[in-house]
Amino acid sequence: MSGIAARTRGFRTTLIAATLSAALAGTGLVLAQGQAETPVANSSLDAALFHQLLIGELELAAGRAGNAFEVILDAARRQGDESLYQRATDIALQAHAGDQALSAARAWRTAKPQSPTAMRYETQILLALNRSAESAEPLTAWLAAVPLLERPTLIANLPRLLARVADKQQALALVERLVAPYRDAPATRDASRMALARARQLAGEAAQALALASEVAADDPSATAPVVLALDMLPALAQAEALVGRYLARADADPALRLAYVRMLTQQQRFAEALPHLEQLTRERPELADPWLTLGAMRLEMRQTGPAEVALKHYLTLSAAASSGAAKPVDKPPEAAPDDAEADTAESGRGTTQAWLLLAQVAEQRGDVKGAEAWLAKIDNPQQALEVQTRRASLLIGQGKVAAARALIQAVPERTGDDARAKLQAEAQVLRDGKLYADASKVLAGANQRFADDVDLLYEQSMVEEKLDHFADMERLLRRVIALKPDHPHAHNALGYSLADRNLRLPEARDLIRQALNLSPGDPFITDSLGWVEYRLGNSDEAQRLLRQAYRARPDAEISAHLGEVLWAAGLRDEARRVWAEGRGRDAANEVLRQTLARLKVGL
């Protein structure tokens, strides 16, 4: 007996007929009811085979997977039937018996040496068992056996098949070996180069991967696979952005790829660069819902409440129409998994909730408390309870009802420790937004005692301590964050900026900010910090260059304050006033901008 653990339980006897039918599918037996007579096709199914298959399925239904495997595999060997080999292999896989599944797949290949399905099973089982070295032979045979039209897809998917291989250099060497016979054939040239490119990227050879992808893009500018790879390499490899830009300049550029690029730019807070792409999407494909939601969120982030409201309401209209089947859903990106109706419905629901939350924020920024509450009242989603109550608490803080605001957040149910942590973070954020820094500090100090060495909580407390002018505490907390998470760009940036802003230890401040920028290339706020420290060091031209770059990427009020001051000091007074006026137009309440104008005694 095989030694397969009897792990398959709960099969009902009523399923036996269905499973037996599946097992019989390859025997040529046709069972028809109520059909006209057709010529009889003689089947290989005799009484003995029928009895053997029935016993195998009964054993499986009774939870004795090992017995079922042996019986079905014996029948497969007797008949040389491919569907029975597949059934035996599937039984072993369902029982998590890898060695038995491999023996069945190999027996299958011996019986049917030209079967691509048998080769696929053997390959995937070997990779699942971490026996990648042995997978080269069945993979080579599989590539040779698949129809010519299917071969490019299989080649392109090689890096995904080999994703389980821990040694990525070993996986790369295997891909190189496998695609070698197909690199020069016109039908498989591009797929081979893209497979190698992806394998090189996974092996840490980003520059070589980009070079291969660029070759494919040069030969076929409409190809999407190089763009997908380039997007995956951003923002770590800045050179990849040129490939993406060339593709998106095409009139037939895929909207899903443009939206993916916009999301990358948004994550980097490069809103000024993302905005034209979003506007182009909504102009060329106004029926797509997702770009409108992203556009609304971006407009709100830029304090453009009117355009934000228009975009968000349009998203809700499109989303409602799509849910009722009256509109086309948002395009799936290339290489996406097949459509999943349940997942799409859930995603649509999350998008609607997000739009309502953002519209509540729009109303709040306008001082329309009733309007904000009306949008929040639409949300009936327990998973969003904390976010909804946090927005309500923010409204209460704005009315001076601090105790009620805190009570609202504290009353949100806690199911896990993560929930408790999130509540403390939300309470501190609401207090911080209301400029109640001492209260926020107490909440975060308690949170850091309860959740020791949590980098997010430590960072949040450091920001509050800075507002309280507790600079020694701020530095201590930030250095603890850096010790726990050396690749935390914002901790490096915050400490460097704080030193620069106070005109202290400027060389050290510059080193910290440069390290932050290496960790998060292109981040406009970190670029702003570097420009500010260069200004403090007396490097006016470099400061102007960096601050202009930051302001182009993110025309934020605080960045406008810094750029305006550097321009003012350089004698470019008219340009400084224009930049400051733009910043005030976006956020008149910004503290840094107000303090800068007051200190320099500038009236706009």
Side-chain angles (χ1 to χ4, degrees):
M1 205 48 68
S2 70
I4 297 178
R7 301 175 187 176
T8 309
R9 295 287 189 267
F11 282 92
R12 295 180 180 274
T13 322
T14 52
L15 295 178
I16 293 174
T19 53
L20 184 57
S21 295
L24 299 179
T27 66
L29 182 66
V30 178
L31 301 176
Q33 295 181 347
Q35 295 181 0
E37 285 191 23
T38 56
V40 175
N42 291 327
S43 167
S44 60
L45 183 70
D46 56 20
L49 177 58
F50 181 90
H51 183 260
Q52 186 172 7
L53 296 179
L54 180 61
I55 292 298
E57 296 300 334
L58 285 168
E59 289 289 303
L60 182 61
R64 293 186 286 272
N67 293 352
F69 169 78
E70 295 288 0
V71 170
I72 301 297
L73 182 58
D74 179 69
R77 284 176 168 142
R78 287 173 181 272
Q79 296 297 313
D81 188 283
E82 189 159 7
S83 67
L84 294 178
Y85 277 113
Q86 185 169 348
R87 180 68 175 148
T89 309
D90 285 338
I91 289 170
L93 289 172
Q94 289 164 13
H96 305 290
D99 289 338
Q100 284 76 15
L102 181 59
S103 69
R106 283 177 165 168
W108 179 2
R109 275 199 68 197
T110 300
K112 301 289 180 181
Q114 301 305 314
S115 168
T117 309
M119 298 166 190
R120 173 170 63 84
Y121 265 73
E122 184 180 357
T123 298
Q124 292 175 329
I125 292 167
L126 284 166
L127 292 171
L129 293 172
N130 293 319
R131 294 162 65 172
S132 55
E134 298 174 56
S135 69
E137 186 277 325
L139 256 175
T140 302
W142 184 12
L143 280 167
V146 293
L148 183 61
L149 290 176
E150 297 176 19
R151 191 171 292 145
T153 301
L154 178 54
I155 289 172
N157 281 325
L158 286 173
R160 188 178 300 172
L161 276 169
L162 298 172
R164 287 175 174 267
V165 179
D167 186 338
K168 299 306 177 186
Q169 285 293 333
Q170 181 185 351
L172 170 58
L174 183 52
V175 171
E176 288 177 326
R177 173 181 166 186
L178 291 166
V179 305
Y182 307 105
R183 286 198 65 172
D184 296 327
T188 52
R189 183 190 301 119
D190 287 352
S192 299
R193 286 186 290 182
M194 286 311 306
L196 279 171
R198 180 66 72 177
R200 287 193 179 281
Q201 181 223 359
L202 294 171
E205 300 179 8
Q208 297 93 320
L210 181 61
L212 283 165
S214 298
E215 287 179 16
V216 175
D219 290 346
D220 181 7
S222 68
T224 59
V227 187
V228 173
L229 179 64
L231 284 168
D232 287 346
M233 290 192 284
L234 291 174
L237 186 67
Q239 301 93 306
E241 202 155 358
L243 190 157
V244 176
R246 285 192 296 272
Y247 173 80
L248 292 179
R250 295 176 55 85
D252 61 349
D254 191 297
L257 290 176
R258 191 179 299 280
L259 191 55
Y261 181 56
V262 164
R263 285 172 178 151
M264 187 280 298
L265 292 173
T266 303
Q267 288 167 1
Q268 290 189 275
Q269 299 180 332
R270 293 163 60 186
F271 297 133
E273 295 170 67
L275 199 54
H277 288 283
L278 269 178
E279 289 173 335
Q280 182 175 344
L281 265 176
T282 54
R283 185 171 59 252
E284 294 177 354
R285 299 291 303 276
E287 78 281 7
L288 299 183
D290 277 9
W292 290 100
L293 179 61
T294 308
L295 179 60
M298 188 177 299
R299 292 289 192 189
L300 180 60
E301 181 69 22
M302 298 172 76
R303 302 262 177 182
Q304 299 171 4
T305 54
E309 182 178 27
V310 170
L312 292 167
K313 286 183 175 179
H314 194 63
Y315 167 80
L316 289 172
T317 300
L318 290 172
S319 183
S323 297
S324 66
K328 184 181 183 296
V330 176
D331 287 1
K332 298 285 183 183
E335 303 184 0
D339 288 354
D340 182 326
E342 267 187 44
D344 286 346
T345 301
E347 185 62 35
S348 175
R350 283 192 290 271
T352 298
T353 299
Q354 187 63 27
W356 286 335
L357 285 165
L358 291 169
L359 282 164
Q361 216 171 326
V362 167
E364 184 182 352
Q365 284 191 14
R366 290 173 172 167
D368 181 4
V369 175
K370 287 185 178 179
E373 183 54 50
W375 287 113
L376 294 174
K378 290 177 175 289
I379 302 169
D380 183 19
N381 184 345
Q383 294 180 335
Q384 302 287 147
L386 180 58
E387 195 167 356
V388 172
Q389 296 300 68
T390 301
R391 290 252 57 85
R392 286 195 171 110
S394 180
L395 294 173
L396 290 171
I397 287 279
Q399 300 169 61
K401 301 175 181 178
V402 178
R406 298 180 70 171
L408 205 58
I409 295 175
Q410 291 166 4
V412 175
E414 295 177 17
R415 294 182 299 274
T416 66
D418 285 343
D419 291 341
R421 173 188 173 280
K423 281 173 59 177
L424 290 166
Q425 204 164 7
E427 184 179 355
Q429 184 61 52
V430 167
L431 292 168
R432 183 179 166 188
D433 290 346
K435 297 183 170 43
L436 301 168
Y437 301 121
D439 290 335
S441 176
K442 289 176 184 175
V443 170
L444 287 166
N448 276 308
Q449 285 185 345
R450 184 172 174 183
F451 300 97
D453 286 342
D454 183 300
V455 293
D456 292 333
L457 291 173
L458 288 166
Y459 181 80
E460 290 296 325
Q461 188 180 355
S462 74
M463 295 298 94
V464 173
E465 299 305 330
E466 187 266 341
K467 291 292 185 183
L468 293 166
D469 292 340
H470 298 166
F471 297 115
D473 289 332
M474 180 205 70
E475 181 166 348
R476 173 181 56 80
L477 289 162
L478 286 174
R479 292 208 180 274
R480 182 60 182 159
V481 171
I482 292 169
L484 291 168
K485 190 173 172 54
D487 61 348
H488 196 298
H490 302 302
H492 287 88
N493 180 57
L495 183 52
Y497 175 77
S498 175
L499 292 172
D501 202 44
R502 289 177 286 140
N503 225 4
L504 298 173
R505 294 148 50 196
L506 294 177
E508 180 187 356
R510 180 164 57 184
D511 289 345
L512 283 162
I513 297 167
R514 282 176 172 170
Q515 192 167 354
L517 203 55
N518 287 335
L519 292 168
S520 184
D523 186 306
F525 285 113
I526 301 177
T527 304
D528 167 69
S529 297
L530 187 57
W532 193 237
V533 77
E534 292 291 355
Y535 173 62
R536 293 294 201 193
L537 284 163
N539 303 322
S540 178
D541 290 345
E542 179 65 2
Q544 278 191 52
R545 184 187 71 80
L546 290 165
L547 289 167
R548 287 182 192 279
Q549 177 185 328
Y551 189 63
R552 278 195 304 271
R554 176 73 186 272
D556 177 82
E558 185 166 332
I559 299 176
S560 79
H562 292 149
L563 175 57
E565 181 164 348
V566 171
L567 293 170
W568 187 265
L572 303 171
R573 302 279 170 107
D574 290 341
E575 186 180 359
R577 288 179 182 278
R578 177 183 59 78
V579 169
W580 282 327
E582 290 173 354
R584 191 171 68 172
R586 291 188 176 91
D587 185 3
N590 183 271
E591 281 187 40
V592 175
L593 180 56
R594 287 194 298 106
Q595 289 170 2
T596 300
L597 294 173
R599 176 166 44 82
L600 296 176
K601 297 184 171 71
V602 176
L604 297 180

